[in-house]
Amino acid sequence: MTTEEAQRRTSGVSATTATSTGEFGIANPARSTAWAGAVQAGARVLPEHARSHNRALVLQALFRAEGLSRADLAREVGLTRVTISDLISDLINENLVIELGVRTDSRPGKPATMLDINRNGFVVVGLDLSFNSRFRGAVTNLDGTVLHREELDVTGVTGTEAVEATALILERLVAAATAPILGVGVGSPGIVDATGTVLSAPNLGWKDLPLQQILSMRAQLPVQVANDANIAALAERTFGGGGADMMLVRAGRGVGSGLIVGGQQVYGSGSAAGEIGHVMVGTDGGDTCVCGKSGCLETWLAIPRIEARLANATTEAEREAILREAGERLGIATAPIVGALNLGEVVLSGPSELIDGPLIAAAADTLRDRTMAEFVGDLSVRMTTLGRDIIVLGAVVMVLTGQLGVY
Amino acid sequence: MTTEEAQRRTSGVSATTATSTGEFGIANPARSTAWAGAVQAGARVLPEHARSHNRALVLQALFRAEGLSRADLAREVGLTRVTISDLISDLINENLVIELGVRTDSRPGKPATMLDINRNGFVVVGLDLSFNSRFRGAVTNLDGTVLHREELDVTGVTGTEAVEATALILERLVAAATAPILGVGVGSPGIVDATGTVLSAPNLGWKDLPLQQILSMRAQLPVQVANDANIAALAERTFGGGGADMMLVRAGRGVGSGLIVGGQQVYGSGSAAGEIGHVMVGTDGGDTCVCGKSGCLETWLAIPRIEARLANATTEAEREAILREAGERLGIATAPIVGALNLGEVVLSGPSELIDGPLIAAAADTLRDRTMAEFVGDLSVRMTTLGRDIIVLGAVVMVLTGQLGVY
DNA sequence: TTTGTTAGTAAAGGTCACTAACAAACAAAA
DNA sequence: TTTTGTTTGTTAGTGACCTTTACTAACAAA
């Protein structure tokens, strides 16, 4: 049997994904069950792929609406009760699904046995490398509920040292896990390709760093690495009520974004989708940017820049004008994107004391003024509700998608 | 058996898709074999879906590279020779694939039997409703080679009359078909939803018009309707060598665009993706637009506007400046889109005597100036090579995708 | 108690792609 | 010329998968 065939024969997620003893080194390698992987152009479909797709559908349905019976699932997914029973039997054996007992409400017919994803039977480890001077991480259950946190100061740490720091915080999180670890998700700044290689992350001094491979080898766990803003968009989509056509803009030290188009994450031709920080805004100049150009979105919207301007503001009106201008510039930059993609939502993530107020209001006004009302009539511009944990939650979504096919 | 079950049982494209006698009214109803349809969220996958997906893969491989044997296909697609033989047997029975005879070159082993899609065994009807005063249409083979053309003057024709005109030109094209018609593709201006309903097309006086349904009933053929610029993007992707992350901008009476992201067409939250004509460009005003705003992309790039400006130009330098300015504005408007989506290509479609020259050069320069070179380094900005037939070719792609799953 | 409904399971059947094995047809080496 | 090895395409049989059909269990309502 060839390697490829062996892989093809492997389906499902083994229930023994990782030991919960906390050893940093015992678990199964990364592997994808997701249907998405099989749908790529040129990929044939075998019966077993159909099975894992249907299996993912069942998990998705259970994930979204707890308290479903086998019969409910059959109606929801469109398969027969027989097939659902068979799939559920597998999932129960793998400890991914549990029976909650019989339905209590009074209805004719045999009472249903309620099912749910075993939300506490596995945990996910999420890492957020996007902060300037500290790495953050958390252990969560499958709902994204944080069970344990770790932080690590990394001021001035770059290159290999930064990799070691990442491995260290991961090790601590793995040790803190109280249930088998389904997988590890990492949100990194910079450009990250589909294989989890950090092509470029200037702040961390990383270039062509195969972070996913490194961490996966070290932890012996399935690891997935993606850009922080992209991962935030995933989180908003799954946990924040984000729609199928959505943009998440993240303002921090720089400005980045993640895009969901047609329900799918956008990666871009060079894995650099969402990088809007250095797109010039308007035709009337602006401050000089670190990149050499003038009037980049970052010069208007990066938090340090806003804070510097606000430091000179003496009155509340001045303060508001500064924030409104930042919002306007965001609106100017995103209007063509919103129009071209016919987005339904623009979600902002960042320090709410700065963003949630005049800034976001001005962005919404500007967006509406500069696009065609007929097309963007029901555009929603809002803050994320996920707060500072958004990257960690995105990591959960990545792992759920990668390991279970849930999204 | 329920309707849904009956549909589920129906797979493949019957070889008797339509009579070639030219009667306007004898054929089978629209039906989708495409895998894409089955991959939607919440859609279960049955073995037969797997089969039609694999079938589509075989057709795709044959479509792209003629002169493949069964064994070649097995290697290409990843299925076994046995399975390929079985699929090919079906396809030959349906007259979609033909044997070309044995391979002539001298190699060890049994000589292979060459296969090809029966490119002239079926025809496709394409309709282009995007011109101001005339409807254009063509009958093509499966390669997109035009076999017959029809035109119809529709100056001042709107509403129901325009629908009748569409039906008339379609009837003529169907009558001219010399082989069974695989399907009909229609490129319409305005907003068209996924069901082929024209939600809004002011120029034609259409609003919530179920054009696909109307034409499908009239012609008794599978009909697919989509926005003209979107369909043009499809054509560029399949016949024009367009990449997986691409934008096609169409300048005509107005300005529209079509987007391909991650190899997939973008539809948008309100089916209005690509509508960039009324996005404001820059922060320095501009001419008043019919929409009421100032400085919309259309005021810079719509062909009538450019022509009006050129009429006042006396020197070649003035003429070039006007064209360069139009290109610059296009670059300003598309820079955020190119950056956010990390597009690899921007393709222009329209009158080449105006677009292909200073305009496109200025657009390329502006795009590069206003984005981050690191991210858009290998961005290609160019004219389409498909000329005026681009909409008709897009119709072919729609039909191939919808009826055969080829894309 | 009877009737009707709903949940879940068991057995049998059809579809699909796979493996194994083989004949046909050729080139190249012996 | 014969033998060997390669490649193509087919036949036969197998296992995976989901369906249909039919059943039991468990309940509400008449």
Side-chain angles (χ1 to χ4, degrees):
Chain A
M1 208 188 247
T2 67
T3 311
E4 196 226 11
E5 277 167 336
Q7 227 168 30
R8 191 200 300 168
R9 298 263 158 250
T10 310
S11 75
V13 170
S14 85
T16 57
T17 300
T19 60
S20 57
T21 53
E23 286 111 355
F24 193 66
I26 307 177
N28 66 352
R31 170 187 352 140
S32 169
T33 335
W35 182 253
V39 161
Q40 308 291 358
R44 74 215 182 288
V45 173
L46 305 177
E48 62 208 85
H49 294 132
R51 176 103 175 158
S52 52
H53 174 76
N54 290 333
R55 181 190 142 99
L57 288 180
V58 168
L59 283 171
Q60 268 178 68
L62 282 172
F63 185 76
R64 274 197 256 271
E66 64 181 290
L68 293 174
S69 68
R70 291 172 175 83
D72 292 335
L73 282 167
R75 281 182 290 262
E76 182 99 356
V77 176
L79 293 162
T80 60
R81 293 199 304 273
V82 180
T83 304
I84 293 292
S85 281
D86 196 42
L87 285 165
I88 289 293
S89 156
D90 283 359
L91 292 170
I92 287 179
N93 282 337
E94 293 174 31
N95 199 30
L96 280 167
V97 168
I98 51 174
E99 293 191 336
L100 297 176
V102 296
R103 183 179 271 151
T104 53
D105 59 348
S106 173
R107 305 199 293 187
K110 176 178 171 180
T113 311
M114 307 311 287
L115 302 169
D116 194 16
I117 285 197
N118 189 358
R119 290 168 199 269
N120 295 305
F122 292 87
V123 295
V124 173
V125 171
L127 250 56
D128 179 357
L129 313 183
S130 72
F131 286 81
N132 197 16
S133 55
R134 59 182 47 234
F135 287 170
R136 304 176 74 229
V139 178
T140 75
N141 71 1
L142 298 191
D143 274 337
T145 305
V146 174
L147 306 174
H148 180 84
R149 289 179 197 277
E150 289 284 340
E151 294 207 1
L152 194 65
D153 188 276
V154 290
T155 310
V157 175
T158 59
T160 313
E161 277 183 51
V163 175
E164 289 306 318
T166 309
L168 177 61
I169 193 169
L170 175 55
E171 188 171 353
R172 288 190 189 157
L173 287 163
V174 168
T178 55
I181 298 170
L182 191 61
V184 178
V186 182
S188 165
I191 315 292
V192 185
D193 74 8
T195 69
T197 298
V198 181
L199 300 182
S200 153
N203 289 351
L204 292 170
W206 287 348
K207 199 166 156 44
D208 296 325
L209 177 78
L211 188 59
Q212 178 171 317
Q213 189 190 320
I214 291 170
L215 296 179
S216 175
M217 292 285 281
R218 292 262 197 126
Q220 290 292 303
L221 282 166
V223 175
Q224 280 161 290
V225 181
N227 171 270
D228 56 346
N230 289 6
I231 218 179
L234 277 184
E236 190 63 32
R237 167 80 171 130
T238 301
F239 290 115
D245 292 278
M246 184 197 78
M247 180 176 197
L248 184 135
V249 178
R250 218 169 129 73
R253 217 173 87 97
V255 175
S257 76
L259 284 149
I260 308 284
V261 170
Q264 300 279 321
Q265 172 100 244
V266 179
Y267 297 100
S269 65
S271 304
E275 294 293 336
I276 53 168
H278 298 284
V279 168
M280 281 169 67
V281 185
T283 47
D284 53 356
D287 292 356
T288 305
C289 184
V290 289
C291 73
K293 300 197 295 291
S294 293
C296 290
L297 183 56
E298 266 197 26
T299 67
W300 300 104
L301 197 62
I303 299 303
R305 297 265 191 172
I306 294 179
E307 281 172 342
R309 288 200 188 94
L310 288 178
N312 298 328
T314 50
T315 67
E316 185 57 33
E318 276 175 29
R319 182 185 153 83
E320 195 172 316
I322 289 168
L323 292 173
R324 282 200 65 85
E325 174 150 55
E328 274 169 28
R329 293 293 162 163
L330 174 60
I332 294 168
T334 48
I337 303 168
V338 169
L341 297 174
N342 187 215
L343 296 178
E345 267 171 298
V346 175
V347 182
L348 273 72
S349 164
S352 58
E353 67 276 13
L354 295 179
I355 293 176
D356 200 3
L359 194 159
I360 206 167
D365 292 346
T366 308
L367 261 174
R368 276 184 251 278
D369 287 350
R370 296 179 71 93
T371 53
M372 191 92 174
E374 184 187 350
F375 306 145
V376 298
D378 42 5
L379 176 71
S380 152
V381 183
R382 60 176 176 84
M383 276 294 288
T384 175
T385 54
L386 302 178
R388 294 204 119 200
D389 280 329
I390 190 164
I391 302 290
V392 168
L393 292 174
V396 174
V397 177
M398 268 212 299
V399 171
L400 287 177
T401 305
Q403 300 306 115
L404 305 180
V406 174
Y407 52 97
Chain B
M1 208 187 248
T2 67
T3 310
E4 197 228 9
E5 277 167 337
Q7 228 169 27
R8 191 200 299 168
R9 299 264 156 251
T10 311
S11 75
V13 169
S14 85
T16 57
T17 300
T19 60
S20 57
T21 53
E23 285 111 355
F24 193 66
I26 308 178
N28 67 352
R31 175 190 342 146
S32 169
T33 334
W35 182 253
V39 161
Q40 308 291 359
R44 73 214 182 288
V45 173
L46 306 178
E48 63 209 82
H49 294 133
R51 177 111 174 147
S52 51
H53 173 77
N54 290 332
R55 181 190 141 101
L57 288 180
V58 169
L59 283 170
Q60 268 178 70
L62 281 172
F63 184 77
R64 275 199 257 270
E66 63 181 292
L68 293 173
S69 68
R70 290 171 176 82
D72 293 334
L73 282 167
R75 280 183 290 262
E76 182 98 359
V77 176
L79 295 162
T80 61
R81 293 200 305 273
V82 181
T83 304
I84 294 292
S85 280
D86 196 42
L87 285 165
I88 289 293
S89 156
D90 283 0
L91 292 170
I92 287 179
N93 282 336
E94 294 173 31
N95 200 30
L96 280 167
V97 167
I98 50 174
E99 292 192 336
L100 297 175
V102 296
R103 183 179 271 151
T104 53
D105 58 348
S106 174
R107 305 199 293 189
K110 176 179 171 178
T113 311
M114 307 311 286
L115 303 168
D116 194 14
I117 285 196
N118 189 357
R119 290 167 199 270
N120 295 303
F122 293 87
V123 295
V124 172
V125 172
L127 250 58
D128 180 356
L129 314 182
S130 72
F131 286 82
N132 197 15
S133 55
R134 61 181 46 234
F135 287 170
R136 304 176 75 229
V139 178
T140 75
N141 71 2
L142 298 191
D143 274 337
T145 306
V146 174
L147 306 174
H148 179 83
R149 290 180 197 276
E150 289 283 341
E151 293 207 0
L152 194 65
D153 188 277
V154 290
T155 310
V157 175
T158 60
T160 313
E161 278 182 51
V163 176
E164 289 306 319
T166 309
L168 177 62
I169 193 169
L170 175 55
E171 188 171 353
R172 288 189 190 159
L173 287 163
V174 168
T178 56
I181 298 170
L182 191 61
V184 178
V186 182
S188 166
I191 315 292
V192 185
D193 74 9
T195 70
T197 298
V198 181
L199 300 181
S200 152
N203 288 351
L204 291 171
W206 288 347
K207 198 165 156 45
D208 296 324
L209 177 78
L211 188 60
Q212 177 170 316
Q213 189 190 321
I214 292 170
L215 296 179
S216 175
M217 292 285 281
R218 294 264 196 124
Q220 291 291 304
L221 282 167
V223 175
Q224 279 161 290
V225 182
N227 170 271
D228 55 346
N230 290 6
I231 218 180
L234 277 184
E236 189 64 31
R237 166 83 171 129
T238 302
F239 290 115
D245 292 277
M246 184 196 78
M247 179 177 197
L248 184 135
V249 178
R250 218 170 128 73
R253 217 174 87 99
V255 174
S257 76
L259 284 150
I260 307 285
V261 170
Q264 300 279 322
Q265 172 99 243
V266 179
Y267 297 99
S269 65
S271 304
E275 295 292 337
I276 53 167
H278 297 285
V279 168
M280 282 169 67
V281 186
T283 47
D284 54 356
D287 292 357
T288 305
C289 183
V290 289
C291 73
K293 301 197 294 292
S294 293
C296 290
L297 184 56
E298 265 197 28
T299 67
W300 299 104
L301 197 63
I303 299 304
R305 298 266 190 169
I306 295 179
E307 282 173 341
R309 287 199 190 96
L310 289 177
N312 299 328
T314 50
T315 67
E316 184 59 31
E318 276 176 31
R319 182 185 154 82
E320 195 171 314
I322 289 168
L323 292 174
R324 280 201 68 85
E325 174 151 54
E328 275 168 28
R329 294 293 162 163
L330 174 60
I332 294 169
T334 48
I337 303 169
V338 168
L341 297 174
N342 187 215
L343 297 178
E345 266 171 298
V346 175
V347 182
L348 273 73
S349 164
S352 59
E353 67 276 15
L354 295 179
I355 293 176
D356 200 2
L359 194 158
I360 206 166
D365 292 346
T366 308
L367 262 174
R368 276 183 251 277
D369 287 349
R370 296 180 71 93
T371 53
M372 191 91 175
E374 184 188 349
F375 306 144
V376 297
D378 43 3
L379 176 71
S380 153
V381 183
R382 59 175 176 85
M383 276 294 288
T384 174
T385 53
L386 302 177
R388 296 203 116 199
D389 281 329
I390 190 165
I391 302 290
V392 168
L393 291 174
V396 174
V397 177
M398 267 212 299
V399 171
L400 287 177
T401 305
Q403 300 306 114
L404 305 181
V406 173
Y407 51 97

